[in-house]
Amino acid sequence: MQTAARALALLDLTSLNDGDDAAAIDALCARALTPHGPVAAVCVWPRFVARAVAALKETGIRVAAVANFPDGGADIEAAVADTAAILEAGGDEVDVVFPYRSLMAGDEAIGAELVEGCKLVCGEKARLKVIIESGVLKAPELIRQASEIALNAGADFIKTSTGKVPVNATPEAAEIMLTVLKEHGQGGFKAAGGIRDTAAAGAYLAIADRIMGPGWAGPETFRFGASGVMNDLLAVLDGTGNAGGAVASGGY
């Protein structure tokens, strides 16, 4: 139950479906205020930011939206424009996709430029979370490299995945990314996609506790982008669920 309560407070409750509409966003925001306390944030498409901000006013729940998503293209101007639109609509956080295919092709510079451009727009007004798409990068050295580039370019968080590819968050990627964070000395981590139950969430928290220290993982430093886990967390907290389970690698 302690793990479920801890994970719930770190959850970015997410809806990034093609068919999302105003009613879906209203339902998402209502769901974010649970009987066991609020989640950390909701994450939506940029066009729904203003609606989510209005719905969650004075709740303390942050509003995040995605940029350069989900493809992670190399168009810096478009990624920066997405970021600016999110902030103009009142967003608190931007989850931008790193141009991971460019890195895989040997271009290290474009990722740094894109993150720097988005961070310049965010400044101190908004948190920038950079999605490296670890399940596509696959190779430990590329996961490490993307994490280092993002953090050195100003990322506030590094995030595993979009939740839109076959392999998303994995404990192996978390281990690498949290190790880079420890070496960097600052920044946060977000495990996203395929985390389906309380036991899986607990496994990621255990990795963070081991690498970063038991007091490190809080809403300012650690998030789950895994809306599929919420029902299980609430069931455990209600006393009707089972804390057992396994880590999956699917989408949100």
Side-chain angles (χ1 to χ4, degrees), residues 24-43:
I25 300 309
D26 290 347
L28 183 81
C29 292
R31 194 168 176 237
L33 289 161
T34 85
H36 298 282
V39 301
V42 298
C43 186

Side-chain angles (χ1 to χ4, degrees), residues 6 35 41-42 45 49 60 64 68 74 87 90 95 98 107 137 147 155 162 193 198 221 228 232 246 252:
R6 189 179 178 198
V42 298
W45 293 109
V49 169
N68 203 33
L87 266 66
D95 287 33
F98 187 87
D107 188 341
L137 291 176
S147 298
T162 59
T198 301
T221 54
D232 190 71
Y252 285 110

